[in-house]
Amino acid sequence: MGKTLFFEELIFLDEQFKTSDELFASICPKLLAGGWVKESFQEAVIAREKVFSTGLQTEPVAVAIPHTGAEHVKKSFIAFIRLRNEVVFEHMGIPGQEVLAKFVFILGIAEQKKQVVILSNMIATFADLELMDSLLEMMNKKDIQLRLNAQING
């Protein structure tokens, strides 16, 4: 795909939140202030998460990939949040099952038709155990950005 989706200013390391709503309340205003999303984004991503949950039980850590429709996005991005503590998300494929996510990837894709491809690339990324392990340890946001962009672009 060759497109930059991860940006240094959208990488948040060792953040701490009690709930996913608290995470969205902290991160989404930063996305809005940076011109990445429309004002409707936060409410839309929370509403979508309640209907179509996005937690995935991956190894070595669980992840969540909250996202919403392109109509709420100004510029395409993926925000990466590495949590100090896990936050509960509902499992994507198993309603009612909780996933304790350590990584959250908030997707904002401005072109709806590309969303499925990007989601597929993200799921392939989660299968890369070496990358997932390294994301637990890496501290340099620029290095994380470069590594994730290289991975998502295959």
Side-chain angles (χ1 to χ4, degrees):
M1 196 152 137
K3 187 168 179 171
T4 298
L5 289 171
F6 290 94
F7 297 88
E8 198 171 347
E9 67 266 26
L10 300 181
I11 294 172
F12 305 92
L13 301 178
D14 304 322
E15 298 285 329
Q16 191 160 352
F17 304 105
K18 289 183 176 72
T19 65
S20 59
D21 285 349
E22 192 179 291
L23 181 147
F24 296 134
S26 175
I27 302 297
C28 291
K30 294 172 184 168
L31 299 174
L32 180 63
W36 298 95
V37 299
K38 298 177 182 173
E39 285 196 25
S40 58
F41 183 84
Q42 182 175 339
E43 186 176 319
V45 81
I46 290 170
R48 189 187 187 289
E49 192 67 30
K50 287 182 182 7
V51 179
F52 301 105
S53 50
T54 62
L56 290 169
Q57 190 60 56
T58 55
E59 295 298 331
V61 297
V63 301
I65 48 173
H67 54 282
T68 193
E71 66 273 16
H72 305 288
V73 179
K74 289 183 179 178
K75 301 184 291 189
S76 291
F77 69 90
I78 301 174
F80 171 62
I81 302 102
R82 180 176 70 201
L83 297 163
R84 181 174 299 147
N85 60 307
E86 288 96 356
V87 170
V88 172
F89 281 81
E90 189 169 310
H91 196 288
M92 184 184 287
I94 309 170
Q97 181 172 325
E98 291 183 348
V99 170
L100 295 173
K102 180 79 171 171
F103 297 160
V104 179
F105 295 85
I106 300 177
L107 278 65
I109 308 304
E111 299 168 74
Q112 193 73 36
K113 64 184 184 291
K114 292 187 177 178
Q115 189 164 301
V116 172
V117 172
I118 292 166
L119 282 167
S120 295
N121 289 351
M122 289 302 301
I123 290 170
T125 296
F126 305 148
D128 184 334
L129 291 175
E130 190 274 323
L131 171 67
M132 295 293 279
D133 273 334
S134 70
L135 290 174
L136 284 167
E137 304 297 327
M138 294 175 78
M139 294 304 294
N140 184 301
K141 291 182 180 186
K142 186 68 174 172
D143 290 346
I144 293 170
Q145 174 201 351
L146 293 170
R147 184 85 191 268
L148 287 170
N149 279 319
Q151 180 76 22
I152 195 114
N153 289 310

